[in-house]
Amino acid sequence: MLEALEALEKRRAAARAGGGEKRVAAQHAKGKLTARERLDVFLDEGSFEELDMYVEHNCVDFGMPEQVVPGDGVVTGSGTVNGRLVYVFSQDFTVFGGSLSERHAQKICKIMDMAMKVGAPVIGLNDSGGARIQEGVASLGGYAEVFQRNVLASGVVPQLSLIMGPCAGGAVYSPAMTDFIFMVKDSSYMFVTGPDVVKTVTNEVVTQEELGGAITHTTKSSVADCAFENDIEALLAARDFVDFLPANNRTGVPARPSDDPWDRIEPSLDTLIPPSANQPYDMHELIVRTLDDGDFFELQPAHAGNIIIGFGRIEGRTVGVVANQPMVLAGCLDINSSKKAARFVRFCDAFEIPIVTFVDVPGFLPGVGQEHSGIIKHGAKLLFAYAEATVPKITVITRKAYGGAYDVMASKHLRGDLNYAWPTAEIAVMGAKGAVEIIFRSKDPAEVAARTAEYEARFANPFVAASKGFIDEVILPHSTRRRVALGLRKLRNKKLENPWKKHDNIPL
């Protein structure tokens, strides 16, 4: 019996050693943690239960039978984050560069299947050189098996990808189909074709970081949601982030105790709106003063800054926040902001997360570039997402809500449950000056000025919309948190179903 136990310990030690001391040292020299060290940081202490530690590849070509490492380049299993169950895989770059083989893929598929069975999030720590070339099409088949599970799990269990090293070629499409992607600056990158191929085909000279680094993907492409300075920061942020997410699409949002009074009054909000309609203000001020303890996890903060998305809590329960940002492009909706918010709204709806929308939108961004790039179809994505959503939806209009953008931003007409406005809200087809110049285009300047003042008095307020029932109540800014909290409490048992369909056809 003792001999068997010793043999087991030797096998475990061999698996834990990964690619050996030299390769582990090389990993550390790059400022990166190993696969197992990452799991130690991410999961609750002592909670990790590993599966398939002894799995080996089955490749018989190119001398591979002589190169066998237990675990085959990925550590898989389950653990807890703040006491809540998650399933994880962590690719080990010290073993064959973390390349994906048939058996490596089978390990990942197994934990994804288990996560689906029990209803728990899947978190992937990606650090891989791509498909294992020695295995040829078998490794490509492995990728496709993972892709298929990403699709089946979408909207059923949350999926989070942490890119902590290379992720290139076909490997990028698994993270792309997960719900959220976090990256590490200067040590992680994602691209379909690398700099060498790009130079050969297009003669463009570009570095890995410029082509697919964390800054590129969190500012320009929006492929990734957040960029962090190092592995530790990314993993700790992921722990906080997972705390906001439901376990699956049936359990409802997680709740945790909060000492922040639900009816807290915020007098500072009464002076948030500047005297001039053209003067910006920071919508973050309203968001953090409405949420529990000012705790807001913003997503894609460096991309499409004219709209803000992220998670917070009210009365200890997760809410999704969407807000126009007057500090950027005056809060106009454009292509990037529409896509950014639409996907977030659809995630919230899939996982029964209530949506709170703060509106200050003067319209859609004008321009030839926007029109030619398809703002009609891209703007329709956000409209579609809000109209489709059946979760509780509470909307607060703070200042401008003009034109079609008023409709799009969770209006009453898109089945908004509670639609509030501040006294400073202006709900109209367009601003007074533009409206008068169209209606009275042939009049002299003095009459135009008088008509503009008349239009402002008539429409530059929330009461016309309120008189038609499009606004449920005009509220005092300082009571916003109390109103939203009370509304969410009332809507907790909301039931609403869309007509039966196999699936919708969102304007992609």
Side-chain angles (χ1 to χ4, degrees):
M1 182 66 176
L2 290 176
E3 288 180 3
L5 294 177
E6 287 177 9
L8 173 61
E9 277 307 315
K10 284 181 181 178
R11 286 182 177 273
R12 285 183 172 177
R16 291 191 187 111
E21 290 183 11
K22 187 176 179 181
R23 288 179 178 168
V24 169
Q27 183 86 338
H28 288 162
K30 296 174 188 172
K32 296 163 62 177
L33 300 178
T34 65
R36 293 177 184 279
E37 288 168 343
R38 288 167 177 160
L39 292 176
D40 287 342
V41 174
F42 177 65
L43 297 171
D44 295 341
E45 186 176 355
S47 71
F48 181 54
E49 290 194 316
E50 186 169 353
L51 299 176
D52 291 337
M53 179 185 275
Y54 314 109
V55 165
E56 300 172 353
H57 70 73
N58 57 348
C59 183
V60 296
D61 299 312
F62 303 104
M64 287 299 288
E66 288 76 48
Q67 302 179 61
V68 175
V69 179
D72 202 32
V74 64
V75 182
T76 60
S78 63
T80 59
V81 173
N82 296 317
R84 300 173 66 227
L85 175 67
V86 297
Y87 281 82
V88 292
F89 67 86
S90 182
Q91 293 179 313
D92 188 348
F93 195 78
T94 70
V95 178
F96 305 122
S99 60
L100 185 135
S101 68
E102 183 179 16
R103 292 281 172 80
H104 180 126
Q106 286 172 358
K107 289 181 64 173
I108 295 173
C109 290
K110 182 187 283 189
I111 64 112
M112 293 183 75
D113 289 341
M114 293 186 72
M116 287 278 283
K117 288 177 188 174
V118 304
V122 177
I123 289 83
L125 312 183
N126 294 262
D127 189 358
S128 168
R132 195 169 300 170
I133 297 170
Q134 295 91 331
E135 293 199 15
V137 73
S139 63
L140 298 181
Y143 271 127
E145 293 285 347
V146 176
F147 299 160
Q148 181 65 67
R149 283 162 176 80
N150 288 134
V151 172
L152 294 177
S154 181
V156 179
V157 295
Q159 300 177 81
L160 170 64
S161 296
L162 279 75
I163 313 300
M164 314 196 80
C167 186
V172 299
Y173 289 110
S174 176
M177 288 188 289
T178 61
D179 299 305
F180 303 100
I181 298 176
F182 292 175
M183 293 185 73
V184 180
K185 296 176 184 176
D186 302 320
S187 65
S188 70
Y189 51 84
M190 298 176 73
F191 40 67
V192 176
T193 53
D196 293 340
V197 176
V198 169
K199 186 174 188 304
T200 301
V201 175
T202 69
N203 209 32
E204 295 170 290
V205 177
V206 65
T207 65
Q208 287 185 338
E209 192 64 29
E210 291 168 338
L211 183 62
I215 300 300
T216 296
H217 284 314
T218 52
T219 58
K220 296 178 182 178
S221 72
S222 79
V223 166
D225 294 279
C226 298
F228 300 96
E229 296 297 330
N230 52 55
D231 282 12
I232 298 283
E233 189 179 314
L235 291 161
L236 293 179
R239 279 181 61 86
D240 290 340
F241 184 67
V242 169
D243 234 15
F244 287 101
L245 305 180
N248 56 65
N249 61 352
R250 294 179 182 273
T251 57
V253 297
R256 71 182 197 184
S258 174
D259 295 327
D260 196 351
W262 70 272
D263 56 352
R264 169 170 46 81
I265 298 299
E266 278 292 339
S268 63
L269 294 181
D270 289 341
T271 55
L272 179 65
I273 304 298
S276 169
N278 297 321
Q279 192 174 341
Y281 60 95
D282 191 352
M283 189 63 87
H284 287 99
E285 295 290 321
L286 172 55
I287 294 169
V288 299
R289 281 166 172 70
T290 302
L291 298 174
D292 289 354
D293 306 307
D295 185 15
F296 179 54
F297 197 112
E298 186 173 357
L299 294 162
Q300 297 190 39
H303 176 73
N306 42 324
I307 206 157
I308 300 167
I309 60 170
F311 293 112
R313 296 181 183 87
I314 291 181
E315 291 198 273
R317 301 168 67 88
T318 300
V319 296
V321 176
V322 180
N324 305 115
Q325 171 57 298
M327 301 282 287
V328 181
L329 297 176
C332 277
L333 289 173
D334 63 354
I335 290 171
N336 288 338
S337 62
S338 296
K339 292 192 295 183
K340 169 180 168 179
R343 190 157 194 268
F344 180 74
V345 168
R346 282 170 69 83
F347 176 85
C348 290
D349 188 49
F351 288 97
E352 296 295 335
I353 300 171
I355 302 167
V356 178
T357 307
F358 296 113
V359 181
D360 186 350
V361 61
F364 283 91
L365 184 67
V368 174
Q370 287 287 307
E371 295 292 352
H372 288 184
S373 297
I375 192 170
I376 294 171
K377 203 149 203 176
H378 293 299
K381 291 179 172 132
L382 182 54
L383 169 60
F384 196 108
Y386 267 125
E388 175 192 42
T390 60
V391 293
K393 293 183 285 192
I394 296 181
T395 304
V396 180
I397 301 173
T398 61
R399 188 165 62 174
K400 296 174 184 173
Y402 290 163
Y406 152 72
D407 288 324
V408 169
M409 294 298 295
S411 64
K412 178 64 70 178
H413 324 283
L414 302 185
R415 302 188 299 186
D417 294 297
L418 289 169
N419 291 69
Y420 296 129
W422 286 5
T424 47
E426 303 174 17
I427 305 166
V429 175
M430 61 176 65
K433 187 172 184 295
V436 169
E437 286 175 352
I438 292 172
I439 299 170
F440 304 102
R441 65 183 62 182
S442 60
K443 304 297 182 181
D444 62 77
E447 184 167 354
V448 167
R451 292 292 190 178
T452 300
E454 180 186 342
Y455 190 96
E456 286 177 345
R458 177 77 178 90
F459 294 110
N461 62 68
F463 298 106
V464 174
S467 71
K468 299 178 185 299
F470 301 160
I471 294 297
D472 294 304
E473 174 66 295
V474 180
I475 65 172
L476 297 170
H478 65 245
S479 67
T480 300
R481 172 177 165 85
R482 182 177 71 84
R483 292 283 191 163
V484 172
L486 192 57
L488 290 171
R489 197 185 295 176
K490 292 174 184 174
L491 292 166
R492 206 164 284 171
N493 295 318
K494 174 188 174 182
K495 298 288 183 223
L496 177 63
E497 291 186 0
N498 291 325
W500 184 91
K501 60 186 82 171
K502 184 176 180 183
H503 59 73
D504 54 51
N505 187 21
I506 186 171
L508 290 174

